Amino acid sequence: MINILPPDVYNRIAAGEVVDRPYSVVKELVENAIDAGATEIGIEIEGGGKDRICVTDNGCGIAKEDLKAAFLPHATSKLRTAEDLTAISTLGFRGEAIASVAAVSKTEIVSKTKDGEGWSLSSDGGKTGEIVPAAAANGTRVTVEGLFFNTPARLKFLKSDASEEGDVTGMVARFILSRPEISFTYLINGKVRYRSFGDGLKSAVAVIYGADVLGKCFELSAEKHGISLRGYIGNRNFYKPNRSYQSLFVNGRYVVNQTVSLAVANAYKNYLMTRQYPFYILFLEVPSEIVDVNVHPNKADVRFADNRVVYGSVYSVVSAVLDGSSGALEYVAESSLPRAEVKSTFSDPAKSGAPAAGMSYAEAKKELQFDVSLVGKPSPIPHREQAPALLEVRAPQEKETDFFEENRRSLLEQSRAKQEKLDPATLEFKGELFRTYLIYEGGDEAYLVDQHAAHERILYDRLRAKCEARAALSQPMLLPFLLHTNGQEFAFLLKNLDVLRSFGFEIEDFGDSFKVSAVPVDLFGMDLEGFFGEVLSSMDTLRAIKLPDLLKDRLATMACKAAVKGGEKLTDGEVRKLLEEMEGDMGIKCPHGRPACVKIRKTELEKLFKRIV
Ligand code: ADP
Ligand code: MG
């Protein structure tokens, strides 16, 4: 028998598509406030948004007779016909958000239009009550409490308060950037986190990232053939450890779009190394006929009619500015560009096409036409990495190799190498080679020890043992190190403070940043900026991986840097100590897996000298 689901059941299922987390609720409510023409929007969250979300606006309000309809699925004032779908100018259009949110929470809407009275309507898990009069200023206030209280399965999937809060903060930051003409107030558990004044993009960027960031950015403004790109991109020396400092707004909507992010990443390719990510705040406006925003239930991505044109436009503008090519003159906003940057960008004589010396800015601008959709060289549309070609085709061997036998043998050798613990007392130090390899003799065997690799390994093991014993020693620093983070980074580190502490870091949260006052003893003097950069760079991919494993890996890298480098001569005492610390373990490898010790049998030498065959 086929049942038609009652609306409250249907809505509870459908709700999962639009609102799956507190940040998506905030997103939908703020979008509604923007669509209502608000100039002031207040956002409050408590308990990471799980306990309470409240969005207040001074927009057009909802008339009493529309209040009930706002709670109904597919009820929207923004779209009437299917044709309207081709030219969506509002952020909302599905009419699903309020119904979905209301189905899985206790929601109250209080609203007043300019000419009407204030009215309130509440819903408990989708069951709406009666409309009652309420004192209200012009505009709307939506309060959502107990999110997912009636869908325990969903509730279980929510992350920690700090983590949800971080994602909400990331979302709110994007709204503040995308609508610099609106003044936002954002409170977390009653404390102001962001307050913007609606006085322009520059000021909004300063609210979110601090005023000094502007000095490290180019301001862009480019327009051709109905496509416009403007905003800020970090200069060649300004990068971030992960992608959370990248914002793209397509026709005013914050989206994460593969085509655009690839175009920007490729434009930066010559300037950034792996795990360095560009900083950008980009506004892309395209004619609404060539962009489809209706691809994702929570509208997190858009689809372009022609990805190549979009890719080409973004790539050409960003790379022209970064490369300092002549075309960039058109895109770099004149007023904003720091003088020094103009020089360093355009005075490079090696770059062809740079405006001739003495040519005025305006002349250069007129002379050099740059076509956004027609890049001089074909824009490199990225293709998947090709599978490595087979290097050689082996001729069939005369005798069939028994792979099983070979495997067995190598496994046996490996396990023997592991067991091969020699008594250091039986080894005699015979000198060193190339200031890197220490030579030991023991019985009929000689051992070459890579002092760098061995030392690295020793440091790494020592540190790891300490971590595991929860007894890592901290070394306080003279000056504490201040680590600035954004919402997501903050939440990530906050969740992992205990892990970092167990490794010997003394770290505490400090508003929206962290104060590091001590580091593991063995890593004293380390490059903290670099270290935390590496930790944060894995944030995007880390959800599944455990931080302790990552830290061990990073510490190994640092240990490697702190270790005795090949080329330095060890004293006799150090050599003896090294050997003792190795406890005669000749099978050891450095933390990267390179062998730290190589064994040469006497017979192998004898073969070389043809003493035996
Ligand atoms: P959509 O935004 O897709 O139209 P929603 O479910 O988010 O759907 O909202 C339903 C309707 O409720 C909107 O079309 C709008 O008419 C009204 N509405 C919701 N929030 C507000 C608000 N803050 N101010 C004015 N009207 C609102
Ligand atoms: Mg909406």
Side-chain angles (χ1 to χ4, degrees), residues 180-193:
E181 70 286 358
I182 296 178
S183 77
F184 285 91
T185 309
Y186 172 47
L187 278 77
I188 301 176
N189 301 328
K191 277 200 330 214
V192 175
R193 178 62 194 269

Side-chain angles (χ1 to χ4, degrees), residues 28 31-32 35 78 92-93 97 299:
E28 293 295 336
E31 286 187 349
N32 282 347
D35 285 346
K78 302 165 192 175
F93 54 85
K299 300 165 288 192

